Amino acid sequence: MSAEAPLALDRVHVMQPWLGEEEVAAVAEVLRSGWVAQGPRVAAFEAAFARDQRVPHARAVSSCTAALHLALLVAGVRPGDDVVVPSFSFVATANAAVHAAARPVFADVDPATGNLTAATVERALTPRTRAVVLVDQGGVPADLAEVRALCDPRGIVVVEDAACAAGSTYRGAPVGAGADVSAWSFHPRKVLTTGEGGMLTTPHEGWAVRAGRLREHAMSVSAAERHTSVLAPPEEYGEVGFNYRMTDLQAAVGLVQLGRLPEAVRRRRELAARYAAGLADVPGLRAVADPAYGTSNFQSYWVEVQPAYPLDREGLMAALAGAGISARRGIMAIHRQPAYADAGVRPGSLPVTERLTDRTVILPLFHELTTAQQDRVLDVLVRAGRH
Ligand SMILES: *Cc1c(COP(=O)(O)O)cnc(C)c1O
């Protein structure tokens, strides 16, 4: 290593899960119990998650993608239906519609929040629209009420993709609490992690029961029920299901992580407020912020690099990299991916999505980020802004 590269010794990562000895102990306990697949820990995690998110029913699954797929199925999406989704999202949002044999129809997003709005959804509706997947992008809550006001009278179900949003709030309640069905992710990139994992929440008992069956090969009697009965009842398979189960090992981690969620969100919001204060006087950098109607968990803290800033997005990323700081290009535009080349998006029809995806940078923000590390990031942003 050259003598001129001292910063390489303490690189600032862009994200890092917050895991500790409590999670280790919880996993060890499950291993010793002898029951490692979906069982009592999954049931306990579902109950605790439902209580904290203020939703009547929760079913744990293997990923948010699985939860979105099941959400669309229980919401009644049929092959050939249209499902409105943002292009400004992780690719799984659109993939879930394809998994349900539906056609994703891409809608543009609000420039401030990066989320769908009633106006952008309305422009994407077709006679075959059966559902809208409303994403709380990066943890910023979407305006569910206005989208539901558009969709409810038309019989269109709003599925909330709350993958990023555990700990975010909407009009004083946890996000997802007002949706017909919501999907959550526990991938290590999210604020609450189980390694891999997801959750489906819904106020509709019938939807929860069906999702719970579909995740387990659509078996009429769960594996846990069969195991605990001496004379196992015969099971039946009423439809074609999936193996989307979460394991008790994951759920044990999830229970610990759920208990830490308020503290995790408090710290992220504190770091986000420090970024906002440090960037307030830098022309040409617009930072993500809470909308008027809710609060973000700041899972992703992004800035939009506008023309008034001396560097463009790539230039700013290079400056950060030169200072040993990892940043990421902002949220992707799904319609630009080769997998969606045939999706029929007219060039220029998603201008806000294209602008945000080309100009945003995700800055380091994670629980154990120190204020000294954060000041290094701010120093690069502020100094580069002066030239
Ligand atoms: C992460 C993410 C997903 C996918 O979550 P998995 O648990 O990895 O399947 C879906 N939608 C959005 C908006 C995401 O950020």
Side-chain angles (χ1 to χ4, degrees), residues 62-74 77-81 83 85 90-104 133 210 214 240-242 244 339-340:
S62 51
S63 69
C64 180
T65 309
L68 284 169
H69 182 192
L70 296 184
L72 292 170
L73 294 180
V74 300
V77 170
R78 314 270 312 166
D81 285 347
V83 175
V85 299
F90 182 58
V91 70
T93 304
N95 288 351
V98 176
H99 295 331
R103 183 177 74 118
V133 182
R210 184 161 171 235
L214 281 172
V240 176
F242 310 91
Y244 282 167
Y340 287 93

Side-chain angles (χ1 to χ4, degrees), residues 63-65 68 89-90 92-93 135 137 161 163-164 185-187 190 196-197:
S63 69
C64 180
T65 309
L68 284 169
S89 187
F90 182 58
T93 304
V135 179
Q137 192 50 256
D161 179 347
C164 307
S185 175
F186 308 130
H187 182 271
K190 320 296 180 179
E196 291 278 1

Side-chain angles (χ1 to χ4, degrees), residues 73-345:
L73 294 180
V74 300
V77 170
R78 314 270 312 166
D81 285 347
D82 284 352
V83 175
V84 176
V85 299
S87 169
F88 189 65
S89 187
F90 182 58
V91 70
T93 304
N95 288 351
V98 176
H99 295 331
R103 183 177 74 118
V105 177
F106 295 108
D108 212 359
V109 291
D110 177 75
T113 62
N115 291 327
L116 297 179
T117 66
T120 66
V121 170
E122 189 165 19
R123 287 200 292 275
L125 295 181
T126 72
R128 287 188 306 186
T129 306
R130 184 78 201 105
V132 172
V133 182
L134 186 62
V135 179
D136 304 302
Q137 192 50 256
V140 178
D143 196 346
L144 177 68
E146 73 159 39
V147 175
R148 285 201 69 160
L150 171 77
C151 292
D152 289 0
R154 293 170 168 80
I156 297 168
V157 178
V158 180
V159 175
E160 193 159 351
D161 179 347
C164 307
S168 299
T169 67
Y170 176 67
R171 298 192 190 280
V175 294
D180 270 325
V181 59
S182 304
W184 309 79
S185 175
F186 308 130
H187 182 271
R189 252 197 99 139
K190 320 296 180 179
V191 176
L192 189 171
T193 187
T194 59
E196 291 278 1
M199 191 77 79
L200 177 149
T201 58
T202 176
H204 306 300
E205 185 176 9
W207 292 15
V209 168
R210 184 161 171 235
R213 279 197 189 143
L214 281 172
R215 77 172 155 185
E216 205 175 359
H217 308 292
M219 228 184 285
S220 60
V221 185
S222 77
E225 281 167 333
R226 272 188 298 142
H227 188 80
T228 47
S229 55
V230 181
L231 182 62
E235 76 271 17
E236 199 176 60
Y237 303 85
E239 57 184 321
V240 176
F242 310 91
N243 181 355
Y244 282 167
R245 283 178 294 221
M246 178 183 271
T247 68
D248 263 24
L249 294 164
Q250 293 164 297
V253 175
L255 278 163
V256 177
Q257 289 265 302
L258 187 63
R260 290 187 176 185
L261 184 61
E263 171 59 11
V265 172
R266 188 200 60 73
R267 176 63 179 155
R268 297 185 87 91
R269 290 185 57 78
E270 182 175 79
L271 288 165
R274 279 192 95 243
Y275 269 135
L279 296 175
D281 299 327
V282 181
L285 281 188
R286 179 182 69 90
V288 63
D290 286 333
Y293 51 75
T295 60
S296 177
N297 63 3
F298 290 108
Q299 182 219 274
S300 296
Y301 192 85
W302 51 261
V303 290
E304 179 185 348
V305 186
Q306 297 174 327
Y309 196 71
L311 301 177
D312 65 6
R313 193 265 299 271
E314 305 306 314
L316 177 57
M317 293 201 44
L320 288 164
I325 296 160
S326 294
R328 290 278 178 281
R329 282 182 192 82
I331 292 105
M332 62 185 290
I334 301 173
H335 74 279
R336 285 184 175 170
Q337 296 303 312
Y340 287 93
D342 297 335
V345 174

